[in-house]
Amino acid sequence: MSDDEWDAEDFKPKTFGVATTDKWAGEDEDEDAPDDWEAADDEDKPAAVVEEAPKKKKLTLAERIAEKEEKRREDLERRKREEEEAAKKLTPEERLAEKARALKMQEDADLEVAMETFGVSKSDLPSDSPLDATPTDKESFEAYRTALVEKLRSLESSVLYTGFLEELVRDLCWNRECSPPRPLLEP
């Protein structure tokens, strides 16, 4: 190539298969920038269209109470239907057990109401459990021992049972005048 070709005003270099595109081409074409940005913001804002949520009409106290009562009644009816459907699927033995459970719950509720009425607490009532009793004679001590052994035997399967038993015996014998108890399991 000669210098004359380079100096010519209509000179175009040869392209070798690479398309030259300007990635910013057309960037300035759509722009209508105002001179005063603050004034432009005020003018361009259309009237604010605010969609208000539908207002709940104010209900009177009686209407609100009636509404809540209706919801409660519907909920109770739904629960009752579900219980009836579940009861239809029960076997006769399960129905009998369910009746016994309901009767027991009713008796317990009645007992609680009666206790509250007369100012009696559960701790004032005598217990049927021999573990809650205070033995006074040989027979009651024997019943107490039997109940205690049964209760402790129900815990035998626990890994912590042996350590618990050792501590229990040690605590029971701490003020006795005798030699200390031997370990239950000697290593």
Side-chain angles (χ1 to χ4, degrees), residues 76-143:
L76 287 175
E77 289 174 5
R78 181 185 51 82
R79 286 182 188 169
K80 190 173 182 180
R81 281 193 305 266
E82 289 174 357
E83 288 176 4
E84 288 173 357
E85 290 174 7
K88 289 178 183 177
K89 297 177 184 177
L90 297 178
T91 63
E93 293 85 18
E94 291 173 335
R95 286 187 192 137
L96 188 60
E98 181 64 28
K99 284 181 183 177
R101 186 188 65 77
L103 183 62
K104 176 71 173 150
M105 286 177 54
Q106 182 64 37
E107 288 174 356
D108 290 344
D110 291 345
L111 179 62
E112 261 185 61
V113 168
M115 285 172 40
E116 286 177 9
T117 302
F118 295 111
V120 179
S121 67
K122 286 189 178 185
S123 61
D124 296 340
L125 295 178
S127 174
D128 294 338
S129 172
L131 292 177
D132 294 335
T134 305
T136 55
D137 58 352
K138 186 174 183 173
E139 291 83 27
S140 59
F141 268 103
E142 185 63 28

Side-chain angles (χ1 to χ4, degrees), residues 3-23:
D3 287 335
D4 293 333
E5 290 177 8
W6 276 101
D7 292 334
E9 288 184 21
D10 60 343
F11 174 74
K12 290 185 181 173
K14 294 180 184 177
T15 58
F16 296 100
V18 178
T20 57
T21 58
D22 185 11
K23 64 180 182 179

Side-chain angles (χ1 to χ4, degrees), residues 13-88:
K14 294 180 184 177
T15 58
F16 296 100
V18 178
T20 57
T21 58
D22 185 11
K23 64 180 182 179
W24 301 105
E27 185 70 22
D28 296 331
E29 292 174 5
D30 295 330
E31 194 171 311
D32 290 331
D35 295 330
D36 185 10
W37 287 99
E38 291 176 4
D41 286 343
D42 293 339
E43 294 171 5
D44 291 343
K45 285 185 182 176
V49 179
V50 177
E51 291 185 30
E52 293 183 22
K55 292 182 180 179
K56 289 184 179 179
K57 61 180 181 177
K58 288 199 170 193
L59 301 175
T60 63
L61 181 62
E63 290 173 336
R64 281 191 230 150
I65 292 172
E67 208 173 87
K68 286 183 182 181
E69 285 293 321
E70 182 64 29
K71 285 181 183 179
R72 188 181 62 80
R73 267 188 249 116
E74 289 174 0
D75 189 38
L76 287 175
E77 289 174 5
R78 181 185 51 82
R79 286 182 188 169
K80 190 173 182 180
R81 281 193 305 266
E82 289 174 357
E83 288 176 4
E84 288 173 357
E85 290 174 7
K88 289 178 183 177

Side-chain angles (χ1 to χ4, degrees), residues 166-179:
E166 284 181 16
E167 291 295 319
L168 177 65
V169 172
R170 184 174 290 117
D171 290 343
L172 291 173
C173 297
W174 76 273
N175 63 349
R176 307 270 311 165
E177 293 181 14
C178 62
S179 61

